[in-house]
Amino acid sequence: MFRTLKTTLPLAAALMLAAAPAALAQNLLIRGGTIHTGDEARPTAEVVAVRDGRIAYVGPAAGAPSAEGLEVVDLKGATLFPGFTDGHAHLDGIGWREMTLNLEGSTSIVEAMARLSDWAKAHPEGVIVGRGWIETHWPEKRFLTAADLDAAAPGRLVLLSRADGHAVAVSSAALTAAGVDATTKAPSGGEILKDAEGRPTGLLVDAAEQLVSKLMPQADEAATRAAYRAGFGVYARYGWTGVHFMSAPWKDVPLLEAMARDGDAPLRVYNSVTPDGARALYASGPREAGDGRIMTRAVKFYADGALGSRGAALFAPYADQPGTTGLMQTSGAEMIPLYEEALRSGIQLATHAIGDRGNHEVAAWYEQAMRAVPKSEWKLADPRWRIEHAQIIRPADYHYFDELPIIASMQPSHAIGDLHFAADRLGDARLDGAYAWHTLVDRGVIVVGGSDAPVERGDPLIEFYAAVARRDLNGFQGPDWRPNEAVDRATALKMFTLWPAYASFREDELGTIAVGKRADLTAFNIDLMTVPAADIPKGRAVLTVVDGQVLYRAD
């Protein structure tokens, strides 16, 4: 029982890759490299044959079917795996990252503001929207302020989201336009950072971001479709065959379904929609389009904020800011009735929880809902509820995950980025339950691997590396970063193949290379199972196949 760098793919190429209607399923004979099936009974093979989008043969070359009528794909020494699935990402944000100001990788406030200044000059009109900055590596060691933005783009409306999406820095013009001043009170679950005189600094945390939401440019359908195409293109080139789309806007579900029907959705998408769509989805039940290419059967809720902006809800105060314990975004009184409805409707739950209090509350709410609804009224005997991130858990709360059970949807790259500040935020003792992949797996918990892109880059090789090395991209780990929580490579492979399939109720047709399953396949130019760990992020995808369709093939 199984329980940050700029993309090398130019936007134009990304759009071209995803814009062309998907071809009909190809009949393929794939050989010429190591093939890791993910099937414990037959872990490797020499040849895979695909007919009509399904895997028709897996095994030794001696027993392979004739190549007649099949397109031969020579791996030329590359390594083939079951299709890699990003178990937690924001597909719209991945696309918009390619179309707006990208502050990823900025090494200081000076550099970030230079990028803003250049963007403002190149785009002299309209609201400036950007994302990707993170202060933890900056020499200034502070958040962005309105004063920073004003100096770089005088008089402009500027909204720059922190990489984690849980805080936004806004210009003075934006504060004025939104009516935010010294007298403004933060909404529940949010914080307005203020200076010594009580004036807003320009940083709005979690629910306080809503104060400037009306300033965001409203994309029309054509622009939204272009953003999704860009996201599809980038992800196909990285080698992802599927993505669990967290916080999928309910209003965009019909658009994605239309794209699937038009052959304009090349990757497999599993939608977990925004709360505004919860009751409509409860009423309709799971929905899909494009022969399951777009599937919608989950709702994403938020319990707390993020660790970097000190919005993750903790039981005890932050070690580096004793005046706060973070921000809960909701309550049991609000959530438990929604959870009970989910049990009766057969809709999966995915709830964001990062802090130890956030994780405890969600797990306890799940338990209360499951006890309140008689099992005879459950639509599904196995609802497969998830906690997204499950980042900091008290060891005393591990039991919820294996007893209820709860799927832990975790993003390995968070651990190798957060290692530079998490100990300061949490103190050493709380690291025992932080990013605890190995401990959860040992308890029989399904741990789904994801990237949380565009919070992180979204490269499957970085995620795989983080899971098995638990070191940053420079090889740094630190003396107390719980190296025992790294996982072995076979487990890491499941985290990005079989277990995302299970978490989307599709383990019978996805997640391993086996006869009869859908032909979702990923090949890299390195063998993830044998190459030195430090070399994993240096690799690249060379082949991406979904339903037998070759979406990307390296030159």
Side-chain angles (χ1 to χ4, degrees):
M1 175 65 176
F2 51 82
R3 297 286 271 168
T4 15
L5 299 169
K6 178 69 177 173
T7 177
T8 57
L9 178 65
L11 175 58
L15 291 171
M16 289 171 61
L17 178 62
L24 295 176
Q26 293 156 274
N27 295 324
L28 308 173
L29 188 71
I30 305 174
R31 63 192 185 195
T34 301
I35 297 171
H36 292 286
T37 67
D39 183 348
E40 293 179 356
R42 296 181 177 181
T44 61
E46 295 178 307
V47 175
V48 171
V50 176
R51 290 189 183 277
D52 299 322
R54 298 273 180 171
I55 296 169
Y57 175 83
V58 182
S66 166
E68 184 177 354
L70 302 176
E71 177 186 346
V72 177
V73 177
D74 185 353
L75 292 171
K76 297 181 180 179
T79 308
L80 189 72
F81 296 91
F84 269 52
T85 295
D86 190 333
H88 180 119
H90 306 279
L91 184 59
D92 51 352
I94 295 164
W96 287 116
R97 176 173 59 186
E98 303 304 311
M99 302 168 69
T100 56
L101 173 58
N102 189 344
L103 297 174
E104 287 180 290
S106 52
T107 59
S108 66
I109 290 177
V110 172
E111 182 185 340
M113 292 303 93
R115 293 191 196 182
L116 170 59
S117 182
D118 290 344
W119 184 274
K121 291 173 184 176
H123 303 81
E125 297 182 355
V127 179
I128 298 174
V129 176
R131 182 168 181 163
W133 64 271
I134 186 164
E135 80 293 341
T136 53
H137 297 296
W138 287 350
E140 296 92 346
K141 296 293 183 183
R142 65 172 176 82
F143 294 129
L144 288 174
T145 66
D148 297 322
L149 278 55
D150 295 345
R156 298 292 296 274
L157 295 175
V158 184
L159 310 171
L160 303 179
S161 292
R162 193 174 184 272
D164 59 15
H166 287 267
V168 60
V170 304
S171 63
S172 294
L175 288 172
T176 299
V180 177
D181 58 27
T183 65
T184 304
K185 293 184 178 180
S188 176
E191 183 179 7
I192 303 171
L193 266 61
K194 297 182 177 180
D195 61 20
E197 284 73 43
R199 297 170 299 194
T201 66
L203 193 81
L204 309 175
V205 180
D206 285 315
E209 294 178 291
Q210 299 168 8
L211 297 172
V212 295
S213 61
K214 292 183 179 180
L215 301 180
M216 291 287 291
Q218 299 302 304
D220 60 19
E221 182 176 318
T224 302
R225 186 181 281 250
Y228 283 122
R229 285 174 173 170
F232 284 136
V234 170
Y235 257 38
R237 189 175 178 95
Y238 276 140
W240 296 113
T241 61
V243 56
H244 291 192
F245 183 5
M246 291 295 141
S247 300
W250 177 245
K251 66 178 179 60
D252 287 358
V253 170
L255 172 60
L256 287 165
E257 291 174 342
M259 292 178 72
R261 289 190 293 270
D262 295 344
D264 206 12
L267 299 187
R268 198 174 303 286
V269 180
Y270 183 76
N271 288 321
S272 184
V273 302
T274 46
D276 60 302
R279 287 202 160 89
L281 188 59
Y282 290 167
S284 72
R287 51 193 284 174
E288 63 178 73
D291 189 28
R293 188 64 61 90
I294 305 294
M295 183 172 286
T296 305
R297 64 175 301 167
V299 181
K300 166 78 178 298
F301 294 105
Y302 280 85
D304 65 352
L307 187 66
S309 51
R310 299 188 185 87
L314 304 176
F315 280 106
Y318 277 80
D320 59 353
Q321 195 170 101
T324 184
T325 56
L327 300 165
M328 286 296 295
Q329 301 293 306
T330 188
S331 67
E334 181 179 1
M335 297 310 302
I336 291 173
L338 290 168
Y339 291 171
E340 292 175 2
E341 286 186 59
L343 280 174
R344 293 187 172 98
S345 67
I347 295 302
Q348 187 184 41
L349 295 178
T351 307
H352 164 116
I354 288 182
D356 56 9
R357 182 186 169 198
N359 277 281
H360 170 81
E361 296 286 7
V362 173
W365 298 341
Y366 280 3
E367 182 180 55
Q368 289 178 58
M370 289 178 177
R371 287 181 174 176
V373 179
K375 286 198 172 182
S376 61
E377 297 180 18
W378 292 20
K379 185 78 170 181
L380 297 174
D382 181 9
R384 303 188 187 185
W385 287 0
R386 307 162 53 139
I387 290 182
E388 303 304 314
H389 307 304
Q391 203 162 302
I392 303 147
I393 306 170
R394 294 188 308 180
D397 289 330
Y398 286 146
H399 70 95
Y400 287 111
F401 288 82
D402 51 271
E403 290 174 3
L404 289 180
I406 298 171
I407 294 170
S409 174
M410 308 177 78
Q411 300 74 51
S413 59
H414 286 343
I416 66 170
D418 292 5
L419 70 85
H420 294 281
F421 65 85
D424 293 336
R425 296 279 195 276
L426 299 172
D428 182 73
R430 282 184 287 204
L431 294 182
D432 282 343
Y435 318 90
W437 319 311
H438 194 283
T439 294
L440 289 169
V441 170
D442 273 356
R443 295 180 69 99
V445 176
I446 294 291
V447 177
V448 172
S451 74
D452 205 10
V455 175
E456 303 287 354
R457 164 69 351 227
D459 185 337
L461 294 178
I462 292 176
E463 298 301 331
F464 194 97
Y465 164 80
V468 301
R470 205 174 172 88
R471 297 175 179 272
D472 73 11
L473 294 177
N474 295 316
F476 175 77
Q477 184 177 69
D480 301 310
W481 197 240
R482 308 306 191 264
N484 57 300
E485 290 294 354
V487 299
D488 61 55
R489 300 189 192 209
T491 298
L493 183 61
K494 290 178 181 177
M495 288 170 65
F496 294 101
T497 56
L498 182 59
W499 289 346
Y502 175 88
S504 59
F505 300 88
R506 304 190 78 175
E507 71 275 17
D508 289 340
E509 56 180 356
L510 299 171
T512 60
I513 301 176
V515 172
K517 286 196 171 185
R518 291 179 181 261
D520 287 12
L521 307 164
T522 302
F524 299 105
N525 68 338
I526 56 173
D527 188 338
L528 299 177
M529 312 308 282
T530 59
V531 72
D535 291 337
I536 292 173
K538 301 173 185 177
R540 63 188 177 94
V542 295
L543 181 70
T544 308
V545 178
V546 175
D547 274 335
Q549 302 166 13
V550 176
L551 303 183
Y552 170 74
R553 190 179 338 216
D555 293 337

